Amino acid sequence: MGPIKVAIADDHKIFRKGVILSLRPYTNIKFVLEAENGQELLDNLPAAPEQPDVILMDLRMPLKDGIETTKVIARQYPNIHVIALTMYEDERFVSHMMEIGANGYLLKSADPSEIKKAIMEVMSKGYYLNNFVNRILLKKSHARVKVVPSLNSEITLSDRERDVIKYICMEFTAHEIAQKLEVSPRTVEAIKDRLMERFGAKNTAGLVFFAVKNNLID
């Protein structure tokens, strides 16, 4: 397996170059594309010699911001993982980004080692939730706000569905979950896909976010 290919979209060139430079020691990460805004990123993606596996996405950018760009990426490039990398600590941005398809959310104050960890985890698990995001999840879990309108207030799950969600939230892979439940990895993936469709989750991160927010796990 080759290095993880990464793109970065940020309108501050000094910060953009700084991130690239700070991750250079990690030989399993390779930057293949950089852009000053979301529109430039989207314009350059189709013709890029190497498609990125992960995009580090700023939120506030000219022409097309990171929120609108993430929506397009989730729709047109579902295999690309998006990690928000921003100065915005407002929990509303965190919730919205995770709900529209982001796989992780980092503040620009994050150390290079955490950025590297986030990149590795979204590739291996489909999402990265640090302490900052977990605190917001916990707060929302207690508040029980913004339940999806199309669902009943009581969300019913089978025992197997509840087990799959529980183990996903505990960061087990599909193969590991399959071993625990004595089923095939394909069965686990099918249950996960069914739950994502049912709850309107864009990806695994969105499913975890929904499960915690709506108290679907103990």
Side-chain angles (χ1 to χ4, degrees), residues 88-144:
Y88 290 103
E89 299 184 47
D90 192 319
E91 64 185 50
R92 293 172 298 178
F93 286 110
V94 179
S95 301
H96 190 57
M97 284 297 288
M98 301 299 282
E99 288 166 356
I100 65 174
N103 303 83
Y105 195 103
L106 293 175
L107 298 178
K108 286 188 173 181
S109 58
D111 291 333
S113 59
E114 185 179 10
I115 299 176
K116 180 251 188 183
K117 181 180 180 182
I119 291 170
M120 301 301 292
E121 290 203 8
V122 298
M123 288 298 295
S124 64
K125 301 173 183 174
Y127 62 95
Y128 174 70
L129 303 178
N130 57 12
N131 290 337
F132 169 66
V133 175
N134 279 328
R135 283 197 299 271
I136 293 172
L137 279 170
L138 184 61
K139 181 178 178 181
K140 283 189 169 294
S141 174
H142 289 314
R144 294 188 64 82

Side-chain angles (χ1 to χ4, degrees), residues 60-71:
R60 185 170 184 174
M61 296 181 288
L63 298 183
K64 188 179 286 290
D65 63 41
I67 294 173
E68 293 305 313
T69 305
T70 298
K71 291 178 183 178

